[in-house]
């Protein structure tokens, strides 16, 4: 009973966040809720994590790129991202569509077959939602799982705005390197910043959080509330440039993440751009992924 109550309260917390921001909200089922949530990988009939022909991981809620300790041997105590807020419309056949663009540390697979998913996730991003009536809502937010998302009211977000975001754990991150030993169960001191370059407004906060430091990611997401919500048609979202631990992430196509959500929408990341620090994500509808070209570096 306590677990069921907690899941219901999670869903209500997400609904409250959306309502407080004035978002056109469709009915949601009870269950765990988050504007940005952990990865939900898709699996083959044999139980392995599904991959496409480029060896990008397939999931039901994330699309973009992630770098992970199990693959690189690095812990991640700092990351940056830049993206343009996409204009959105509701997907065909749905009264409302939702999408999140965000930068995060944690929440990804802890091994190659995603036997375990990291329970920690610290992230900040923008939300882009639309209803079939044409109403839209854009806002900024941050989240430290398992706490619910918080709207960043200091920033007024509009489609086309250029966003710069950063996450850094000051005590762990020093001069482009992380301290030996990596993640810890002890709380770290994180500084989160976001700047809307287009409007010239900025926001920053410092908080305590115990991160695994096991991954860093740049994601276009279909948010979760009792299940994966319909993905708003965002056209093409561009993330470029990004850094991890103060340096170029050197992205590879194998670190890409493709979304095939249960509502019939897709999100396909391009190959990394020529300097391996950025990419595009292209929205789609149906069984075939939309072709997606890398941004110009």
């Amino acid at each position: 009973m306590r677990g069921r109550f907690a899941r219901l309260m999670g869903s209500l917390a997400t609904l409250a966040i959306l309502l407080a921001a004035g978002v056109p909200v469709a009915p949601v089922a009870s269950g765990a809720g988050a504007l940005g949530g952990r990865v939900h990988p898709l699996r083959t009939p044999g139980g392995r994590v599904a991959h496409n022909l480029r060896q990008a991981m397939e999931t039901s809620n994330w699309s973009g790129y992630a770098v992970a300790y199990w693959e690189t041997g690095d812990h991640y105590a700092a990351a940056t991202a830049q993206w343009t807020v996409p204009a959105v419309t509701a997907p065909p056949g749905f009264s409302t569509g939702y999408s999140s663009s965000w930068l995060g540390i944690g929440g990804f697979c802890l091994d190659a077959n995603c036997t375990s998913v990291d329970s920690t996730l610290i992230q900040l991003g923008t939300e882009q939602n639309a209803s079939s009536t044409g109403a839209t809502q854009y806002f900024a937010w941050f989240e430290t799982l398992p706490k619910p998302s918080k709207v960043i009211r200091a920033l007024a977000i509009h489609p086309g705005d250029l966003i710069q975001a950063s996450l850094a754990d000051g005590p762990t991150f020093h001069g482009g390197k992380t301290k030996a030993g990596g993640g810890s169960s002890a709380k770290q001191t994180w500084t989160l910043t976001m700047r809307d370059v287009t409007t010239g407004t900025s926001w920053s906060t410092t908080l305590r959080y115990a991160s695994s430091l096991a991954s860093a990611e740049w994601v276009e997401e279909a948010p979760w509330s009792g299940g994966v919500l319909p993905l708003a048609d965002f056209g093409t979202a561009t993330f470029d440039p990004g850094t991890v631990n103060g340096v170029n992430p050197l992205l590879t196509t194998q670190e890409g993440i493709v979304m095939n959500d249960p509502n019939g929408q897709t999100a396909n990341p391009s190959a990394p751009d020529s300097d391996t620090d950025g990419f595009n994500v292209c929205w789609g509808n149906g069984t075939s992924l939309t072709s997606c070209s890398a941004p110009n570096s």
Side-chain angles (χ1 to χ4, degrees):
M1 178 66 73
R2 290 178 61 189
R4 184 176 302 172
F5 178 76
R7 290 192 296 273
L8 174 60
M9 293 307 294
S11 179
L12 293 175
T14 297
L15 183 58
I17 287 290
L18 296 170
L19 288 171
V23 178
V25 180
V28 295
S30 61
L35 294 184
R38 300 190 301 158
V39 70
H40 293 267
L42 297 176
R43 297 192 179 274
T44 67
R48 305 294 297 176
V49 170
H51 292 81
N52 70 1
L53 295 177
R54 291 193 324 209
Q55 293 306 303
M57 177 184 291
E58 297 184 2
T59 82
S60 64
N61 64 330
W62 284 19
S63 181
Y65 277 78
V67 291
Y69 174 80
W70 58 262
E71 186 175 30
T72 66
D74 293 328
H75 285 96
Y76 300 100
T80 67
Q82 178 172 283
W83 68 88
T84 300
V85 177
V88 293
T89 59
F94 292 88
S95 60
T96 311
Y98 305 81
S99 71
S100 296
S101 308
W102 54 265
L103 166 71
I105 290 180
F108 191 56
C109 304
L110 292 175
D111 56 80
N113 196 40
C114 216
T115 304
S116 298
V117 174
D118 190 355
S119 63
T120 73
L121 177 54
I122 182 169
Q123 54 190 162
L124 72 165
T126 57
E127 181 79 4
Q128 301 88 218
N129 303 324
S131 76
S132 56
T133 65
T136 57
Q137 186 67 40
Y138 301 85
F139 61 95
W141 57 274
F142 73 97
E143 187 168 81
T144 52
L145 291 184
K147 293 182 179 179
S149 311
K150 293 185 178 181
V151 175
I152 302 174
R153 301 189 182 279
L155 299 175
I157 303 299
H158 311 89
D161 284 0
L162 182 64
I163 303 297
Q164 293 175 339
S166 68
L167 301 164
D169 168 33
T172 305
F173 179 67
H174 295 278
K177 297 181 179 180
T178 55
K179 290 181 180 178
S184 170
S185 59
K187 288 186 176 181
Q188 305 122 359
T189 302
W190 290 87
T191 299
L192 285 61
T193 63
M194 185 179 287
R195 180 170 182 256
D196 188 324
V197 177
T198 304
T199 63
T201 53
S202 299
W203 167 89
S204 180
T205 192
T206 299
L207 52 84
R208 299 277 286 168
Y209 186 70
S211 170
S212 68
L213 311 179
S215 65
E217 52 270 333
W218 305 262
V219 171
E220 191 71 28
E221 181 179 18
W224 175 278
S225 185
V228 178
L229 296 172
L231 180 66
D233 182 351
F234 57 81
T236 299
T238 300
F239 292 79
D240 187 33
T243 66
V244 286
N245 294 341
V247 298
N248 188 315
L250 301 176
L251 300 174
T252 66
T253 55
Q254 291 83 359
E255 292 166 332
I257 305 169
V258 173
M259 184 199 308
N260 287 283
D261 81 11
N263 302 296
Q265 298 90 42
T266 64
N268 184 30
S270 71
D273 59 13
S274 60
D275 55 1
T276 65
D277 65 357
F279 58 92
N280 285 331
V281 179
C282 297
W283 184 90
N285 196 46
T287 57
S288 298
L289 295 175
T290 301
S291 178
C292 201
S293 300
N296 296 322
S297 297

